[in-house]
Amino acid sequence: WLRDSIGNVLSTERRVSNKVDQLLLAVPTLLVVLFLAVLQPRVIGQYTNIGSFRLEHKTFGLWVRDEIAPGSVLMSRYPAIAFYAEAEWEPTPNAEYGELLAYARAQSVDYFVLDEEETQELRPQLAFLFEDNQVPPELNTLYIMDSARGRLALFQLEKEG
């Protein structure tokens, strides 16, 4: 296909009379190739760096593993935390706190992990959980880990009733 295309461009029917005309024919192709080469790292980064894993998540999950009972249900946005904690993962819904609590109870969630970074844009409605004396009574703060990109918190859900 490529050979035929190049042959058509350079064929005797469309013979180019001088080097300048040949260069003008090649420039659009070269610009497209250059554009794609420059754009490639950005596209690859956009599709492979989804931000769903940080080394801190692994560290936090390994710490959690030693602190919770096997088979516990852990709700978090990031599945890596539950994976390393050897817990069942329940994804955190993007909802107001009351709805989140109702969902967690309906799914028999034992623990809830919140990454402060996610409260900056994705879930600002949960940012209050990192403020002093703002944690509701149905959540028991077990551990808060500082990291370069914000704190990670482990809460235990108090059983209803």
Side-chain angles (χ1 to χ4, degrees), residues 99-131:
E99 296 167 321
L100 181 137
L101 183 63
Y103 175 83
R105 290 206 165 130
Q107 301 302 317
S108 302
V109 169
D110 301 302
Y111 300 94
F112 172 46
V113 173
L114 185 61
D115 186 333
E116 190 173 28
E117 185 177 49
E118 74 185 270
T119 65
Q120 295 169 2
E121 290 184 25
L122 297 174
R123 294 179 169 86
Q125 70 274 20
L126 301 178
F128 75 95
L129 295 173
F130 284 101
E131 296 174 15

Side-chain angles (χ1 to χ4, degrees), residues 51-68 72-92 111-118 123 130 143 145 147 150-155:
S52 64
F53 177 76
R54 296 188 355 229
L55 186 56
E56 293 92 342
H57 294 161
K58 179 180 180 180
T59 303
F60 195 77
L62 291 171
W63 182 89
V64 169
R65 179 187 64 195
D66 296 333
E67 302 299 319
I68 67 173
S72 296
V73 179
L74 188 144
M75 182 172 69
S76 69
R77 178 174 187 265
Y78 305 101
I81 297 170
F83 173 79
Y84 286 106
E86 297 178 5
E88 285 187 45
W89 176 59
E90 189 61 45
T92 304
Y111 300 94
F112 172 46
V113 173
L114 185 61
D115 186 333
E116 190 173 28
E117 185 177 49
E118 74 185 270
R123 294 179 169 86
F130 284 101
Y143 181 63
M145 181 182 100
S147 75
R151 298 173 288 178
L152 288 119
L154 173 65
F155 303 100

Side-chain angles (χ1 to χ4, degrees), residues 29-63:
T29 303
L30 292 174
L31 287 175
V32 168
V33 168
L34 180 64
F35 175 75
L36 293 174
V38 168
L39 193 60
Q40 183 184 15
R42 180 184 170 133
V43 171
I44 289 172
Q46 184 177 3
Y47 287 101
T48 60
N49 186 15
I50 58 174
S52 64
F53 177 76
R54 296 188 355 229
L55 186 56
E56 293 92 342
H57 294 161
K58 179 180 180 180
T59 303
F60 195 77
L62 291 171
W63 182 89

Side-chain angles (χ1 to χ4, degrees), residues 8 25 64 90 101 112 129 134 138-140 152 160:
N8 286 337
L25 279 176
V64 169
E90 189 61 45
L101 183 63
F112 172 46
L129 295 173
Q134 294 295 314
E138 59 272 3
L139 291 181
N140 181 21
L152 288 119
E160 203 172 22

